[in-house]
Amino acid sequence: DQENELWVDPIVVARWHGRLGDGFFLLGEADYGGFGIGSDETWQVIGTVGYDFADWLSARVGCRHLSVDYDDDSFVGDVDLSDPIVGVTMVF
């Protein structure tokens, strides 16, 4: 028997992008949400360094931490995840 739960959280996001020169950049992102509406609290932070190969193509690597605190009478989800992150962005 598998238990499923679905909820929606309002989230506030902040993002910072800094150019380092020669195509390199730093990107920082943070969000906070839940406010007791869906989950009690959820937040994450992401820090990456990237490179622009062209105006339409970039790649980045870094770290991410995600925390979710959700508690319903029949379902408890208290999760903390920290992992490396790798991404490629293509603009059409």
Side-chain angles (χ1 to χ4, degrees):
D1 183 30
Q2 184 178 7
E3 197 171 333
N4 295 309
E5 186 74 16
L6 175 66
W7 70 89
V8 176
D9 283 323
I11 296 176
V12 178
V13 180
R15 186 174 193 208
W16 176 82
H17 188 275
R19 295 268 174 213
L20 298 175
D22 294 326
F24 288 94
F25 61 90
L26 294 175
L27 186 60
E29 301 174 53
D31 64 54
Y32 182 85
F35 307 101
I37 295 170
S39 64
D40 294 328
E41 177 183 64
T42 180
W43 61 272
Q44 74 173 330
V45 292
I46 302 171
T48 59
V49 61
Y51 183 77
D52 289 323
F53 294 98
D55 290 341
W56 59 274
L57 179 64
S58 64
R60 56 188 177 133
V61 297
C63 293
R64 172 187 181 203
H65 181 83
L66 170 66
S67 178
V68 177
D69 181 9
Y70 179 84
D71 188 356
D72 190 337
D73 291 336
S74 62
F75 184 86
V76 175
D78 192 4
V79 178
D80 284 289
L81 303 169
S82 292
D83 292 302
I85 187 170
V86 177
V88 174
T89 301
M90 294 187 302
V91 179
F92 297 94

